[in-house]
Amino acid sequence: MGFLSAFRGENTVPDYRWRTRHRCCRGGHEVEDDPKTGLHIVGRGGFPNSGGVLECDAAIMEGITGRFGAVAALRGVGAPVRVARRVMDRSPHSLLVGEGAVAFAREQGFTIEPDDNMLSAHSAKAYQEFLEQKQSVSGHDTLGLIALDSMGNITVGVSTSGAPFKSPGRVGDSPLPGCGLYAEHMVGAAAATGDGDKIMCHCPSFHAVQLMKQGLSPNRACYTVLDDIIRRTAPDKCFEIGLIALNMKGEVGAASSVEFPYTFWIQGKDYVETSTQLPNSTEMEGTEKCDTCTVK
């Protein structure tokens, strides 16, 4: 899943950066903590690891100062992106994992729930089938949100429960800066979804932002990154990857090796626009633009 949303906030908040990070966290944790979205490998209700425990990865990055916070293999928290934000705001470190992430979340007042509370009926059933029949679940999904406001502040956040029935402690691309997400002030931001074990070897989010820095549109940047990956892996061996990007002009773009839906919202519109990026498309679609451009 990819989400791009545009929001133009009132210029009354002293800390303008707070607005974009708040939008990313609020939008993210509402999706993460809904068991229904676990079907899409995000947050509560997601598929557990091979030991039956749900472990989530999440990260948030601001462009204006390059601030970053992330958690990986976090257990017992239904909204891991909120813990990632606390890491960014209150920890001297940038990335906390496993028991360290759990301990930090507890210190910050988050309730650590039992493993059974983190699974849905669907994910629990899927895990039982995995144990009995070694039948796995296909797909690689990540919740990615990019927020840009009228002051030019940009924030990107990502969250995932990771590959279904993964090895305990496995971490994919999502919480790694440059891989699952990247933001740079005065340039833009990008987020990725797909096979995290492969994505992290290519740093696609960083690559896309650097191409936008060189003047490419978000759409052309995303296509260039995907084309580079395909050239290095061979077209018939390319792994699952979807990439979204947003620049400071409010232009949005995406590229993917699989069918990839994403959404964006522009200030002043009373509806959310949805677009589907087709796999291995060689002809770039027209660039979308948020005219007032700010993001929610």
Side-chain angles (χ1 to χ4, degrees):
M1 295 185 292
F3 294 87
L4 287 176
S5 56
F7 170 76
R8 185 176 184 176
E10 297 296 328
N11 298 329
T12 57
V13 181
D15 183 0
Y16 297 115
R17 289 175 298 163
W18 177 89
R19 191 165 58 232
T20 55
R21 84 177 75 121
H22 174 71
R23 296 292 178 180
C24 274
C25 285
R26 181 178 177 181
H29 87 251
E30 288 178 354
V31 175
E32 291 174 315
D33 214 15
D34 183 348
K36 294 179 181 178
T37 61
L39 292 171
H40 302 287
I41 317 181
V42 175
R44 187 186 300 275
F47 298 101
N49 62 25
S50 61
V53 178
L54 183 69
E55 293 183 327
C56 295
D57 305 334
I60 186 167
M61 186 173 190
E62 291 181 359
I64 196 167
T65 59
R67 296 204 315 135
F68 174 81
V71 291
L74 176 65
R75 302 181 176 189
V77 178
V81 74
R82 295 180 61 197
V83 184
R85 177 181 173 179
R86 292 290 182 87
V87 172
M88 181 176 70
D89 289 340
R90 301 183 183 182
S91 172
H93 308 300
S94 295
L95 172 62
L96 297 176
V97 304
E99 291 302 321
V102 172
F104 176 80
R106 186 179 289 111
E107 290 170 2
Q108 293 297 313
F110 291 91
T111 299
I112 308 302
E113 301 182 46
D115 295 335
D116 290 346
N117 286 9
M118 301 302 296
L119 301 182
S120 65
H122 175 82
S123 59
K125 179 182 178 182
Y127 177 64
Q128 191 60 37
E129 291 175 350
F130 166 74
L131 292 178
E132 295 174 355
Q133 306 170 21
K134 297 303 178 182
Q135 178 179 333
S136 189
V137 177
S138 62
H140 306 274
D141 277 333
T142 302
L143 169 66
L145 303 100
I146 304 175
L148 171 69
D149 71 12
S150 59
M151 302 300 293
N153 300 305
I154 193 164
T155 302
V156 57
V158 296
S159 180
T160 181
S161 55
F165 319 130
K166 60 192 177 184
S167 297
R170 177 266 188 186
V171 177
D173 68 297
S174 293
L176 305 181
C179 299
L181 74 169
Y182 196 77
E184 184 171 337
H185 184 51
M186 301 301 293
V187 180
T193 181
D195 186 342
D197 294 295
K198 301 292 194 305
I199 289 174
M200 69 170 69
C201 300
H202 296 270
C203 299
S205 296
F206 176 79
H207 192 182
V209 172
Q210 294 310 299
L211 289 171
M212 290 192 292
K213 190 174 184 178
Q214 295 171 19
L216 272 66
S217 70
N219 224 30
R220 185 171 292 277
C222 289
Y223 271 85
T224 300
V225 171
L226 180 61
D227 185 57
D228 178 65
I229 291 173
I230 290 175
R231 281 202 310 268
R232 286 192 280 165
T233 60
D236 59 336
K237 295 181 180 179
C238 187
F239 50 88
E240 290 187 9
I241 177 174
L243 188 65
I244 56 174
L246 173 71
N247 67 11
M248 306 307 288
K249 298 178 183 178
E251 297 168 339
V252 302
S256 179
S257 64
V258 294
E259 188 170 309
F260 173 62
Y262 65 97
T263 66
F264 56 95
W265 179 75
I266 306 168
Q267 169 66 20
K269 290 189 176 181
D270 58 0
Y271 61 92
V272 174
E273 295 191 32
T274 301
S275 181
T276 299
Q277 183 65 38
L278 297 178
N280 299 323
S281 177
T282 57
E283 181 179 351
M284 289 188 293
E285 298 177 0
T287 298
E288 301 287 356
K289 183 174 182 179
C290 305
D291 296 326
T292 56
C293 210
T294 9
V295 173
K296 183 174 183 181

